[in-house]
Amino acid sequence: MNCNPDAGPEVIIEADTYIAPIYRSDVADHQLVSILKVSQPAHVIIGIGGGVQEKLGLYLRENLGYRPAIHCVGAALGFLTGDQKPIHDWADHLYLGWLLRLVRQPKLFAKRFLRAFELPWLIWKYGENLPPLRWKTAAKK
């Protein structure tokens, strides 16, 4: 959860980690909230997949008494450990990683990809209620 300053920035001790339970449809973790309220880390890194990590991040944001930076890294850790199959360079270069994942695990990814087609409809329906765009201009020297 947070790096121990006495151990150095690249060392994470066991007390700074939390093994999450398997979340069902309702993502709520009162134990994690209690731990974070006591330790109050500046950064919380969530590395669980299946579309759950974003729900957990939102749950934490709404239930903590402070605002840490919440990082949802998902499959990034799985790529490093070998649990998640990497995408070949050629597929990544051609932006076809999504297609390879769909072919490898259609039951898992088909529903996720189909939900993306809702986005244009939601933008059209709620477009007037969207926050205004802020264009960041880089200072050129």
Side-chain angles (χ1 to χ4, degrees), residues 71-90:
H71 309 276
C72 297
V73 298
L77 297 176
F79 288 126
L80 294 174
T81 62
D83 292 338
Q84 178 78 27
K85 299 282 187 209
I87 299 300
H88 296 285
D89 288 339
W90 65 266

Side-chain angles (χ1 to χ4, degrees), residues 2-13 16 45:
N2 67 332
C3 290
N4 183 341
D6 296 331
E10 64 280 334
V11 177
I12 298 175
I13 61 174
D16 294 332
I45 301 170

Side-chain angles (χ1 to χ4, degrees), residues 117-133:
F117 288 109
E118 295 176 30
L119 184 59
W121 161 250
L122 292 172
I123 292 172
W124 179 79
K125 183 176 178 182
Y126 297 106
E128 293 178 359
N129 298 326
L130 292 174
L133 291 176

Side-chain angles (χ1 to χ4, degrees), residues 48-133:
I48 53 179
V52 177
Q53 65 183 354
E54 292 82 4
K55 293 176 186 176
L56 179 60
L58 178 62
Y59 171 80
L60 292 176
R61 188 182 81 184
E62 292 177 348
N63 289 281
L64 291 173
Y66 75 106
R67 286 291 178 109
I70 299 174
H71 309 276
C72 297
V73 298
L77 297 176
F79 288 126
L80 294 174
T81 62
D83 292 338
Q84 178 78 27
K85 299 282 187 209
I87 299 300
H88 296 285
D89 288 339
W90 65 266
D92 194 31
H93 180 73
L94 296 172
Y95 304 103
L96 294 176
W98 64 272
L99 182 61
L100 290 181
R101 286 188 181 93
L102 180 60
V103 169
R104 285 180 185 160
Q105 296 175 297
K107 289 182 181 180
L108 178 66
F109 290 105
K111 185 177 178 181
R112 290 187 199 175
F113 292 143
L114 289 175
R115 293 220 43 221
F117 288 109
E118 295 176 30
L119 184 59
W121 161 250
L122 292 172
I123 292 172
W124 179 79
K125 183 176 178 182
Y126 297 106
E128 293 178 359
N129 298 326
L130 292 174
L133 291 176

